[in-house]
Amino acid sequence: EDKVVQSPLSLVVHEGDTVTLNCSYEVTNFRSLLWYKQEKKAPTFLFMLTSSGIEKKSGRLSSILDKKELFSILNITATQTGDSAIYLCAVIHNTNAGKSTFGDGTTLTVKP
Amino acid sequence: DGGITQSPKYLFRKEGQNVTLSCEQNLNHDAMYWYRQDPGQGLRLIYYSQIVNDFQKGDIAEGYSVSREKKESFPLTVTSAQKNPTAFYLCASSIVGQETQYFGPGTRLLVL
């Protein structure tokens, strides 16, 4: 059975802290891994990772994939209250184009 | 503006009633998806469609039905067979072969 596990499930930090969110997966026919940020409603796309060891960066956020150990991490440095959200990890399968398996998400709360 | 719209924002269902959630996109995307999100959980795939007049079951299709008569529209019917329909429903679309999915604002379904 395909599985995507995120940890921790929830995290409370203070502004300025650095956080690392984890996503491990066991899926058949891996194609890519995506990170999304969900604040109130619709998830918004953050990163897509397909190759091991290549860091993707966007401002204070960065992410990397390890296809040997089957995990990805999402780092947020100098956190701000606006980073408070649910962060979702999704793995896209190669068998059925577009079919994806999501993790349960990490709820991040950044306190002022 | 291009995007995905879902309606209604909130929907109330009585016991034994079928209800239909609307999803429309003007992004000219071929692929569309329906997900269910329960509190503290990630997204679970209900149905997806890669082309008009064709769709596939996702991981939790029981109690749901869909149609894809037009490229722009992918309505989801929650039937009376779905015994626990209370959840947040998200619709998404993408270009076939591209992993990034664009999400609508969601519909929250509640049972009276």
Side-chain angles (χ1 to χ4, degrees):
Chain A
E1 184 185 333
D2 297 323
K3 200 162 51 172
V4 176
V5 178
Q6 291 187 243
S7 63
L9 289 180
S10 65
L11 190 56
V12 180
V13 301
H14 288 94
E15 274 192 315
D17 288 349
T18 293
V19 297
T20 298
L21 310 183
N22 303 288
C23 175
S24 63
Y25 62 91
E26 291 177 34
V27 300
T28 51
N29 292 301
F30 173 92
R31 180 172 173 177
S32 58
L33 185 146
L34 278 67
W35 284 96
Y36 288 89
K37 177 182 181 183
Q38 185 179 23
E39 293 183 75
K40 292 265 196 259
K41 298 176 183 175
T44 53
F45 171 77
L46 292 175
F47 297 111
M48 182 177 77
L49 304 157
T50 53
S51 302
S52 269
I54 298 174
E55 186 182 51
K56 295 274 182 99
K57 267 183 89 71
S58 176
R60 296 176 293 102
L61 277 67
S62 64
S63 185
I64 198 162
L65 174 67
D66 185 329
K67 289 168 77 172
K68 185 179 173 189
E69 300 297 330
L70 307 183
F71 77 92
S72 173
I73 59 171
L74 175 69
N75 275 323
I76 309 175
T77 59
T79 52
Q80 302 170 358
T81 54
D83 294 327
S84 296
I86 300 172
Y87 290 85
L88 296 165
C89 170
V91 170
I92 308 297
H93 302 253
N94 210 21
T95 49
N96 294 304
K99 186 175 187 297
S100 53
T101 301
F102 278 77
D104 285 345
T106 293
T107 301
L108 174 65
T109 304
V110 181
K111 293 189 170 180
Chain B
D1 284 358
I4 303 179
T5 56
Q6 290 185 242
S7 61
K9 188 174 176 180
Y10 294 95
L11 186 58
F12 297 90
R13 193 190 93 162
K14 293 180 183 176
E15 292 282 341
Q17 187 182 38
N18 291 356
V19 292
T20 298
L21 285 61
S22 167
C23 177
E24 305 275 332
Q25 53 97 1
N26 60 5
L27 299 167
N28 201 32
H29 288 169
D30 285 302
M32 296 186 75
Y33 313 82
W34 273 106
Y35 293 93
R36 170 182 171 139
Q37 187 175 32
D38 292 281
Q41 296 189 31
L43 279 60
R44 291 184 289 167
L45 184 65
I46 305 173
Y47 270 98
Y48 63 105
S49 166
Q50 295 183 62
I51 196 167
V52 173
N53 292 323
D54 188 45
F55 46 83
Q56 287 80 41
K57 292 182 179 180
D59 299 315
I60 54 163
E62 187 175 344
Y64 300 97
S65 66
V66 292
S67 63
R68 188 87 188 276
E69 296 174 4
K70 297 187 298 181
K71 187 176 184 177
E72 303 79 23
S73 178
F74 191 40
L76 172 75
T77 297
V78 183
T79 74
S80 56
Q82 173 48 248
K83 297 305 177 192
N84 185 21
T86 298
F88 187 52
Y89 291 87
L90 283 162
C91 177
S93 71
S94 73
I95 296 171
V96 171
Q98 292 194 13
E99 287 87 340
T100 307
Q101 295 179 15
Y102 298 85
F103 286 84
T107 292
R108 193 165 296 280
L109 177 61
L110 300 162
V111 176
L112 294 176

